[in-house]
Amino acid sequence: MTRTDVLSGAPSDLRDRAARYALLPLRLFLGVTFVYAGLDKLTDSAFLSASGAGSIGDMMRGVRDTSAIPALVDLALKAPVGFAVVLAAGELLVGLATLAGLLTRLAAAGGALIALSLWLTVSWAVTPYYYGNDLVYLVAWLPLVLAGAPYLSLDALARRSEGSSSRWRLSRRTA
């Protein structure tokens, strides 16, 4: 007979498995979204322009006066195309690392930093605040910053590999 959790009524092994993989949907969503966002920017010639409809330059000039940190926008406007490429490449790298579970905490911190910078500049003036998605992305990255990707990830594979090699070294020394 399977032990059942008293509070939830679910078998404890199922509940344990669900808890173990609870961050996986968030990791997949954020990874796919950031890969898509990066690729979308890198393949949009209008976005990768200093001026014109849909350009990073026009967008940044449009949000400058309503952003929380206009100096950050001014810095981006010194080289808008370079900024756009760095932003897109950052999103792409963060997304790929998150999907693979490679240096997940670092990748999540990068995703949180991107979301924070976009919230403080592009979506700062959105009212009510919950209509702006950058704040939601910032908060969504925090569980992965704290927990990383303990399962189904290259990080977990590396930890497991380190553990087995250190056990092997220990057993060789004692033999």
Side-chain angles (χ1 to χ4, degrees):
M1 180 166 190
T2 305
R3 185 172 72 93
T4 302
D5 185 273
V6 176
L7 295 176
S8 70
S12 61
D13 61 332
L14 180 61
R15 185 170 183 211
D16 291 345
R17 187 173 303 140
R20 183 178 309 135
Y21 296 106
L23 290 179
L24 188 59
L26 181 63
R27 192 176 116 211
L28 293 174
F29 171 76
L30 289 171
V32 166
T33 300
F34 268 57
V35 166
Y36 179 79
L39 289 174
D40 188 45
K41 287 175 180 70
L42 288 172
T43 58
D44 184 352
S45 59
F47 181 79
L48 294 175
S49 299
S51 61
S55 70
I56 183 71
D58 279 5
M59 183 183 70
M60 296 305 282
R61 281 186 285 282
V63 300
R64 189 221 176 266
D65 294 335
T66 59
S67 73
I69 308 174
L72 190 59
V73 178
D74 290 339
L75 183 63
L77 282 170
K78 289 182 187 243
V81 176
F83 172 75
V85 170
V86 168
L87 174 63
E91 288 173 336
L92 184 59
L93 291 173
V94 162
L96 290 172
T98 301
L99 286 173
L102 177 64
L103 302 172
T104 308
R105 285 187 170 120
L106 181 62
L113 185 61
I114 290 169
L116 175 64
S117 66
L118 292 173
W119 176 54
L120 291 174
T121 55
V122 178
S123 356
W124 182 257
V126 173
T127 57
Y129 76 92
Y130 50 83
Y131 280 171
N133 62 357
D134 295 314
L135 179 58
V136 176
Y137 281 110
L138 169 61
V139 173
W141 281 110
L142 297 181
L144 294 177
V145 169
L146 296 171
Y151 299 100
L152 299 176
S153 66
L154 293 176
D155 291 344
L157 186 62
R159 276 192 306 277
R160 195 172 31 233
S161 165
E162 286 173 4
S164 65
S165 66
S166 66
R167 282 192 299 269
W168 182 80
R169 283 191 302 262
L170 181 61
S171 66
R172 292 263 309 175
R173 288 185 197 146
T174 57

